[in-house]
Amino acid sequence: MPRISQLARTAGVTPQQIRNYLDRGLLPPAERAGNGYRVLTDAHARALRTVRALAAGHGWARAQEIMRAVHSGRLGDALAAVDAGHADLTAERAEIARARAAFTAVAGTPRPRAPLRIGELGRDIGVDTPLLRQWEERGLLSPTRDSAGYRVYDASEQRIARLVAVLRRGGYPFGIIAAATAALRTDDDPARALAELAGRDRDLRLLSRARLRGSAALSDYLDSDPAPPP
């Protein structure tokens, strides 16, 4: 039977973290010996490996939710949380694919030549001028000013504004939009912006593998003997 210090050393955490995990229900309940010390078993070591694998793939908050549900006998809730984690990845992957398609369509349109003022640009891309000002405040647009102090959007800014409008209509997050517009503004190369989206897709694949490993670790833990509460 491992001591708390031994279990902590093996897992690369502190003994206090082990105590915290026990108190939060992330590990099975531990009986007390006659001297008052907690009695740990191999089941606690398996649970610790499981919660850390879940945290690496599903995030710490969801890992805690899952393990607390398991150890309180709410297996259905635990499995529902796992399923929700994988569903989140599916939704994000679809979002990136839609963003890439939208960007490709916008980036391939002919570039306008004449500079436009804010009202003209709004009418051209179908958005209200206050929205264009909000995008400017977020750093997505960088218009210049003419001699009268009016905002003026050159050909590059018009192209970026059109991209932002298309992506926002699709409900895409500002994080993806900012990355794509920044890449396009750097050297006016659509391939760079598409590469940014492709990079996010690669990161998502790595996260998907980590999440799969966490789910596999939970499955092994549930199948272990002695098993955690059903």
Side-chain angles (χ1 to χ4, degrees):
M1 294 183 292
R3 294 177 179 271
I4 282 184
S5 58
Q6 294 172 323
L7 186 56
R9 185 167 53 252
T10 300
V13 298
T14 66
Q16 184 57 51
Q17 285 177 290
I18 300 294
R19 297 185 187 97
N20 291 340
Y21 292 170
L22 286 164
D23 293 340
R24 295 172 184 170
L26 308 186
L27 306 181
E31 297 181 357
R32 298 273 185 174
N35 58 9
Y37 288 107
R38 289 181 172 97
V39 178
L40 302 184
T41 67
D42 289 340
H44 292 92
R46 289 194 297 271
L48 181 58
R49 290 193 295 270
T50 301
V51 71
R52 290 173 67 80
L54 283 169
H58 290 264
W60 182 240
R62 181 162 276 152
Q64 293 185 83
E65 176 188 357
I66 293 168
M67 294 302 281
R68 279 197 296 263
V70 167
H71 294 135
S72 62
R74 296 180 291 109
L75 182 57
D77 290 345
L79 296 178
V82 172
D83 292 343
H86 290 288
D88 288 346
L89 294 183
T90 299
E92 187 174 352
R93 189 172 286 110
E95 179 182 88
I96 291 173
R98 290 195 304 270
R100 185 187 294 115
F103 177 80
T104 301
V106 173
T109 59
R111 178 185 299 182
R113 294 177 178 269
L116 297 177
R117 287 184 174 179
I118 188 169
E120 296 170 324
L121 177 61
R123 288 191 295 273
D124 188 51
I125 65 176
V127 302
D128 294 331
T129 55
L131 195 55
L132 291 173
R133 295 190 186 96
Q134 290 178 19
W135 295 347
E136 181 183 347
E137 292 173 358
R138 286 182 171 270
L140 300 176
L141 298 177
S142 298
T144 58
R145 299 274 182 165
D146 62 16
S147 58
Y150 292 105
R151 291 175 173 83
V152 176
Y153 300 82
D154 62 15
S156 295
E157 290 303 308
Q158 292 174 45
R159 194 180 198 187
I160 290 172
R162 189 178 300 279
L163 169 62
V164 175
V166 169
L167 295 181
R168 285 305 295 162
R169 287 190 190 106
Y172 308 124
F174 281 108
I176 287 180
I177 296 173
T181 56
L184 185 60
R185 180 172 280 111
T186 297
D187 57 9
D188 203 25
D189 183 3
R192 283 179 57 85
L194 288 170
E196 182 71 32
L197 294 175
R200 292 177 68 88
D201 196 34
R202 287 192 297 271
D203 292 342
L204 190 62
R205 288 198 296 271
L206 293 175
L207 178 58
S208 183
R209 292 290 301 275
R211 195 157 293 184
L212 186 62
R213 287 191 292 269
S215 299
L218 176 65
S219 179
D220 290 343
Y221 179 58
L222 294 174
D223 289 340
S224 62
D225 186 21

